[in-house]
Amino acid sequence: MKAVLRLAMLLPFAASAQEYPEKPVQIVLPLQVGSASDIAVRVFAERLGEGLKQPFVVENVTGAAGLIGAERLAKSRPDGYTLAALNSSILTILPNIQRERVKFNPFEDFVPIHGIANIPTLLGVNEALPVRNVRELIEHAKAKPGELNYATGGPGSPQHLAGEMFMAMSGTRMTQVPYKGATAAAAGRATTIPRGSRSSRRKGTPAPVLSRLRTEAAKVLPGLKERLEKSGLELWAVPASDLPNVIKEDHARWQRVVREANIRAE
C-alpha cells in the first residue's frame, strides 16, 4: 500500500509588477504547528528568504480540514506575496469528499512552484496487540472483523483513506476512531500516517516573480535533504512542470477510494 501525502508550494492566479521588492512574503500553511508539513515548510521558507534576501513568514491557518487556508490563497491578491504550502489531502482528497464546500478548483485556481517533501506513510499498532508484522495484523483483523480500531486525523483525512485502502487490499474490516489531526491520532496509536507537500501561488502572478520563486526553490531544495531526513521526511524536489500531472493522478486515486468505500462528508 502506498498512501502518499505530498507537500508543495503554490501561488494564486494575476498582477503586473515586474519586480519582487523586499517585503515579507506570507506562506499560508493550512496545517498545525509542529506537524511534519509545518517542519518542512519552515525549513524551506528559511532558505528561500536567505536566497531572495527578504523574509518569508509562515502562517498556520487551520480549520475545516485545510479548506480555510486554501481559500485564503484562492482569494488573495496574485502579486507573489501570498503563497501556500498545500498537501495532497487538501488538493486531491477534500475536493472528492466535500464537493459542496470546496470553493476552489485544484486544477485551475493555483499555479505550482515546486514540490517540497514527502511524509512517509507508516503502519503501526499498540504494543499490547499480539501482532509483530503486517501478515499477523491482517490475520488478527480477519479473526475479529470490526473489533480492531484505527486512529485517524478525522473523517475523510489521509489516515482515514489510507485505512480504507488497507482494508480493501487486505480483505479486513476495522473501525475508524477519528482524532483532531494526524498528530493527535499518532499519540493515540494511529495505524496509518500518510505523507506529502507542494508549494503554490495563485494564477496571474507576474511571470518574473514566478520564475524567481521556481529558480530559487530548485536551488535550495537539494540542500535541505539532510535536515528533512532528520525530521523523518523525504525530499520531494518535483519541478512545477510535473506537479499538474501528480495532482491529477492523486485526485483520481483518491476518487476511487472515496467511491468504493462510500466515504461522505460529516
Side-chain angles (χ1 to χ4, degrees), residues 175-240:
T175 301
Q176 178 198 191
V177 178
Y179 284 76
K180 292 184 178 180
T183 302
R189 297 298 188 274
T191 56
T192 56
I193 308 175
R195 49 177 176 172
S197 174
R198 317 180 169 105
S199 69
S200 307
R201 66 148 175 96
R202 266 199 56 202
K203 284 190 174 181
T205 301
V209 171
L210 178 58
S211 177
R212 285 194 66 189
L213 285 168
R214 286 175 171 170
T215 298
E216 194 61 33
K219 185 187 303 182
V220 304
L221 274 166
L224 302 183
K225 185 174 185 295
E226 185 175 348
R227 286 187 66 180
L228 291 174
E229 288 178 348
K230 286 182 179 178
S231 298
L233 308 172
E234 299 173 351
L235 180 67
W236 190 61
V238 175

Side-chain angles (χ1 to χ4, degrees), residues 138 141-143 145 164-174:
I138 292 173
K142 285 184 175 180
E164 293 291 347
M165 285 178 65
F166 178 79
M167 288 188 287
M169 294 171 68
S170 62
T172 57
R173 182 159 56 86
M174 298 183 288

Side-chain angles (χ1 to χ4, degrees), residues 23-121:
K23 68 177 186 178
V25 178
Q26 180 189 45
I27 299 179
V28 175
L29 178 62
L31 300 163
Q32 299 165 314
V33 174
S35 64
S37 294
D38 182 68
I39 294 171
V41 172
R42 289 182 185 279
V43 170
F44 183 48
E46 178 184 329
R47 291 296 177 85
L48 276 180
E50 291 172 357
L52 293 173
K53 302 296 188 295
Q54 62 191 91
F56 279 70
V57 181
V58 179
E59 181 181 359
N60 298 82
V61 182
T62 59
L67 286 181
I68 294 175
E71 289 174 1
R72 168 84 68 87
L73 177 68
K75 295 176 181 178
S76 66
R77 182 179 177 183
D79 55 7
Y81 290 99
T82 301
L83 319 179
L86 305 178
N87 63 25
S88 52
S89 170
I90 296 168
L91 287 172
T92 66
I93 293 178
L94 289 180
N96 279 309
I97 295 178
Q98 302 193 40
R99 288 184 287 272
E100 294 78 14
R101 295 185 63 192
V102 174
K103 305 301 182 184
F104 59 85
N105 186 315
F107 309 113
E108 299 179 2
D109 291 343
F110 308 129
V111 176
I113 299 172
H114 217 285
I116 303 173
N118 271 338
I119 306 162
T121 302

